[in-house]
Amino acid sequence: MPPVFRFAPSPNGYLHLGHALSALLNFDLARQAGGCLLLRIEDIDATRCRPEFERAIYEDLAWLGIAWETPVRRQSEHFAAYRAAVERLVAQGLVYPSFESRAEIGRLVAEKEAGGAWPRDPDGAPLYPGTARSLAPAERDRLTAQGLPFALRLDMAAAVARVGPLRWREAGEGPDGESGDVAARPEAWGDVILARKETPTSYHLSVVIDDALQGVTDVVRGADLFWSTSVHRLLQELLGLPAPAYRHHRLIRDAAGQKLSKSTRATGLRELRAAGATPADIRRLVGLS
Ligand code: GLU
């Protein structure tokens, strides 16, 4: 079977040089391996995603000389598949609702931090304190009946205990040079959110479902997502899905050494194109020949 690669941008801004590196690497690797490249639009966040950004993705990728298979998968059109996966995890007793607002969670974390060091996830955010894990069923029902917003969280300790140690095959490199056969550390993320009342999925869940449904064999993406792979491996195992091979690539940084953001105009593909850059210039700028 020929390998299947994918580029999976979110249409919440215009593409920059970091996206160009990711898309071009996927395209080149797929071509070298005689495989195919899929394009997936990760638009589950209706408040931030916009049709003009999606149109710009097609335009910018085509300008770069990248070709992809159609139809393009748009995550917002597949909420039923994600809902079904959450239901399977609920049925396994691994999911619970939490009702705290962001501010309340902030206060709970501040209390924990006042009592000593409190762990942070690989992105630097404090772990959810797990307060709602022990809510009595009657209390859960009462809060749900009030119509409060909620997040459905994975009971991480229970999930990890269920599947045991996990690993993945890494052809690229992690932030500390991790490579080859990497040990997953999903517990470092705490009780991650799988879905919310208004959005029946999350980044972690939809990526895992889609990579499996689309038969993706090779995930090539930025090193900022390296440790997310721990959660992805765990969800794959819980849901009985195959694990692709992973290749995390270096990030493009700005002059100050910061990761590029969609709002930094100097590195936007549209700005560079308007200033006269060619697709070959973009390849050079991201360090590909
Ligand atoms: N949608 C994610 C992003 O734009 C990438 C997801 C992935 O490659 O797993 O950062």
Side-chain angles (χ1 to χ4, degrees):
M1 285 283 279
V4 179
F5 292 75
R6 77 342 182 243
F7 176 57
S10 297
N12 55 12
Y14 292 111
L15 300 186
H16 54 56
L17 286 174
H19 298 105
L21 173 59
S22 219
L24 287 165
L25 264 181
N26 271 291
F27 179 60
D28 291 355
L29 288 165
R31 267 220 305 215
Q32 283 159 23
C36 66
L37 174 63
L38 308 178
L39 175 61
R40 185 164 75 223
I41 300 294
E42 303 215 322
D43 60 347
I44 58 174
D45 184 351
T47 60
R48 296 177 60 219
C49 294
R50 300 221 301 259
E52 60 266 35
F53 293 137
E54 184 179 330
R55 280 195 298 276
I57 288 172
Y58 303 135
E59 216 178 278
D60 292 348
L61 293 179
W63 175 72
L64 279 175
I66 290 173
W68 57 90
E69 308 283 315
T70 50
V72 167
R73 184 174 172 93
R74 210 184 269 124
Q75 290 187 324
S76 59
E77 293 168 355
H78 298 278
F79 282 166
Y82 310 134
R83 229 180 243 122
V86 173
E87 282 314 314
R88 287 182 56 195
L89 297 169
V90 169
Q92 293 180 47
L94 296 176
V95 176
Y96 66 89
S98 75
F99 299 88
E100 303 95 339
S101 65
R102 231 175 255 273
E104 278 170 280
I105 294 177
R107 274 195 297 278
L108 291 167
V109 166
E111 271 170 35
K112 298 274 187 193
E113 283 176 335
W118 181 250
R120 293 185 170 242
D121 71 23
D123 284 346
L127 297 198
Y128 171 69
T131 334
R133 202 188 306 122
S134 49
L135 279 181
E139 182 64 1
R140 279 182 191 159
D141 292 348
R142 194 182 65 80
L143 293 168
T144 311
Q146 278 180 19
L148 286 182
F150 59 82
L152 293 177
R153 294 181 179 270
L154 184 66
D155 183 338
M156 184 58 80
V160 166
R162 184 81 45 95
V163 300
L166 295 170
R167 316 189 69 85
W168 81 82
R169 197 152 52 80
E170 175 63 46
E173 209 175 83
D176 293 309
E178 300 88 347
S179 198
D181 184 29
V182 178
R185 299 196 326 226
E187 58 285 349
W189 292 96
D191 290 354
V192 288
I193 294 178
L194 295 177
R196 292 178 190 276
K197 186 182 180 190
E198 352 49 273
T199 311
T201 188
S202 57
Y203 160 64
H204 294 310
L205 186 78
S206 34
V207 159
V208 159
I209 300 297
D210 287 353
D211 284 341
L213 277 175
Q214 296 189 285
V216 170
T217 59
D218 292 81
V219 171
V220 178
R221 61 186 176 195
D224 51 338
L225 293 171
F226 185 84
W227 285 116
S228 292
T229 312
S230 291
V231 179
H232 302 172
R233 285 292 298 112
L234 177 63
L235 292 175
Q236 284 156 0
E237 219 57 26
L238 292 170
L239 294 166
L241 305 174
Y246 289 88
R247 179 190 292 260
H248 292 89
H249 61 73
R250 65 191 157 80
L251 300 177
I252 306 277
R253 305 203 173 262
D254 65 14
Q258 295 298 309
K259 194 177 120 180
L260 301 186
S261 97
K262 282 183 168 139
S263 51
T264 328
R265 307 204 139 245
T267 50
L269 295 183
R270 326 216 102 199
E271 281 79 6
L272 289 161
R273 184 166 88 212
T278 65
D281 294 329
I282 303 294
R283 275 192 176 265
R284 260 192 307 276
L285 281 170
V286 299
L288 297 174
S289 51

